[in-house]
Amino acid sequence: MSGFLEVIDTYWLYFLVGQYPNGPLGGLALTVLLASCALVMAMPLGIVLAFARISPWRAVRWPVSILVFVVRGTPLLMVVFWAYFFLPSVTGVKTSQFWTMLIALVIFDAAYLAEIIRAGIQGMPKGQMECARSLGFGYFRAMRLVILPQAVRHMLPSLVNQFISTIKETSLGYIIGLAEVSFITSQINTQVMVYPAQVYLVLGLTYLVLCFGLSRFAYWLEKRRGKRRAAPAVGKEAI
Amino acid sequence: MIEIEKVNKWYGDYHALVDVTETVARGEVVVVCGPSGSGKSTLIRTLNRLEPIQSGHIRVNGQDIHAKNIDLNAFRSGIGFVFQQFNLFPHLTALENCTLAPMHLRGLSAKVAQEKALALLDRVGLADKASAMPESLSGGQQQRVAIARALAMEPPLMLFDEPTSSLDPEMVGEVLLVMRDMAKEDMTMVCVTHEMGFAREVADRILFMDAGKILERATPDDFFNRPAHPRAAKFLADIRTPFAKAI
């Protein structure tokens, strides 16, 4: 076991940041960066796609519906390959592995998020939108002020699921040689040779901590919102 | 204030409103009654364009509400609409329900909007529930908050779509009382309701509808004591003695 501690002692920095600062950023830092960027970019795109999916205009609804069906009907690995091989030949721009992976993740996750958000919006009672409109709110203001704040509460578990998937999906960057934490770990394993179980156990635990942390955070968020709802009625003095 | 002219509406093949023509004067309180499916809810929902119509014209304050250039949101903000299901926004407190529209649509500061909303909640007898969430309120209280929320936009016209139909019987009175007080204050009101006691006491005029048509227009006195249309007479007889009818 002391041999494995030596391995940790030798490689921990490589595991965390890759070759940085003497080379490109990699390892766990790159995984977290990639996942965060993917989430931050996929969420707004997902919202836009969701609105397109429920748009009354066919010209908006159909292309997005097709995109969603195609993405849902293919594994992420396919999307990664498309982004890696197909996209540069269409756009003429050779993107780095990081951007390739990010594009694939954003498209893939946005399609899934769009479905979660669409279901959340359509699951709201019809009267809420009607009532907001009858007060004089326009469609998008009614969405922002009345529908989405309520719908998000219902969507939260599914959204968190998707966010957790995103973190795990970054590991597919391995296949296009992106130096994220799985790739780095396999390299460490190749160099060390004798502790494959332990090395990959550390990798597994790392993902577990990331995902568990995120789900606890979401749980905390849910609780906090719930508390406000259950706040006791105190009346005039409270204002 | 409202002019309805030859309005027709279909749901698919179903002719929900048949050549409906009617006028409501400023300050008037009109109660619309009739059996289920007679088109009364549909009619009141067409008045702020919650339901589209297939033909005819509706003018509010002289403005054709289906005109191309109408600012629909501004138009709707001048009409209070009270729903059968209250439709309070469950993620907001009673007070926030009443301040949301004035703050975002009228540009009121939070402080001014809150003061006004509090005064309205006081008027419907719920000042002590200002910070309560809707789910913690009874049906009658929720509906009174919904009325306060509609009043917060200071609409000259209020529409009520069966405001007491989903309430427990013991809570109907508190809502009707609020509505009666509004009627006394020169508000123009159109109410779809089955509360005949309310209609008798508060209405200036009663419209009786069946099968998408207004069959009778009368003062409460005439309507209840001398209904002209046989369908209206039967309706009144049935609601007066529902049990006798059943056996």
Side-chain angles (χ1 to χ4, degrees), chain B residues 118-235:
Chain B
L118 211 50
L120 286 168
L121 285 175
D122 194 33
R123 184 168 154 194
V124 299
L126 290 171
D128 58 329
K129 298 288 185 189
S131 58
M133 299 308 280
E135 63 182 6
S136 69
L137 300 174
S138 73
Q141 290 171 332
Q142 287 193 45
Q143 190 63 299
R144 283 187 282 153
V145 173
I147 291 173
R149 174 178 64 181
L151 287 175
M153 293 298 279
E154 301 180 335
L157 169 63
M158 288 282 293
L159 306 174
F160 296 84
D161 186 7
E162 304 203 28
T164 58
S165 295
S166 46
L167 294 177
D168 289 341
E170 56 180 339
M171 292 169 186
V172 169
E174 63 192 58
V175 172
L176 293 180
L177 222 56
V178 168
M179 289 169 63
R180 187 196 66 187
D181 292 345
M182 288 165 64
K184 280 182 185 161
E185 286 168 25
D186 253 11
M187 180 73 81
T188 310
M189 291 165 59
V190 180
C191 318
V192 172
T193 183
H194 296 293
E195 295 301 328
M196 290 303 131
F198 174 80
R200 189 192 287 269
E201 192 198 338
V202 177
D204 296 313
R205 220 147 48 87
I206 293 178
L207 305 179
F208 176 78
M209 288 186 75
D210 190 29
K213 295 178 193 139
I214 298 178
L215 297 182
E216 180 144 355
R217 306 163 163 79
T219 62
D221 180 42
D222 283 341
F223 181 73
F224 287 108
N225 299 321
R226 296 169 288 281
H229 198 282
R231 183 68 188 86
K234 180 172 183 307
F235 176 77

Side-chain angles (χ1 to χ4, degrees), chain B residues 3-16:
Chain B
E3 296 158 72
I4 306 163
E5 190 187 320
K6 285 198 172 269
V7 165
N8 281 283
K9 170 158 185 79
W10 283 268
Y11 290 109
D13 289 336
Y14 181 69
H15 203 167

Side-chain angles (χ1 to χ4, degrees), chain A residues 146-184:
Chain A
V146 175
I147 305 297
L148 285 177
Q150 299 181 56
V152 161
R153 211 193 327 264
H154 300 297
M155 292 178 218
L156 207 56
S158 309
L159 288 178
V160 172
N161 249 344
Q162 193 56 39
F163 292 165
I164 288 172
S165 293
T166 308
I167 293 178
K168 294 186 284 188
E169 283 159 358
T170 57
S171 63
L172 282 184
Y174 177 95
I175 220 80
I176 56 171
L178 180 68
E180 44 71 55
V181 73
S182 298
F183 184 87
I184 293 287

Side-chain angles (χ1 to χ4, degrees), chain A residues 3 33 37 44 62 64 69 152 217:
Chain A
L33 181 69
C37 288
W62 281 14
V64 174
F69 286 135
V152 161
F217 173 69

Side-chain angles (χ1 to χ4, degrees), chain B residues 4 17 20 32 39-47 209 214:
Chain B
I4 306 163
L17 294 176
V20 174
V32 185
K40 49 196 195 309
S41 277
T42 306
L43 177 65
I44 201 167
R45 287 166 57 88
T46 62
L47 297 184
M209 288 186 75
I214 298 178

Side-chain angles (χ1 to χ4, degrees), chain A residues 197-218:
Chain A
Q198 289 91 330
V199 166
Y200 283 112
L201 188 68
V202 170
L203 178 65
L205 283 173
T206 306
Y207 279 116
L208 191 72
V209 167
L210 275 184
C211 298
F212 185 70
L214 183 62
S215 73
R216 292 312 294 183
F217 173 69

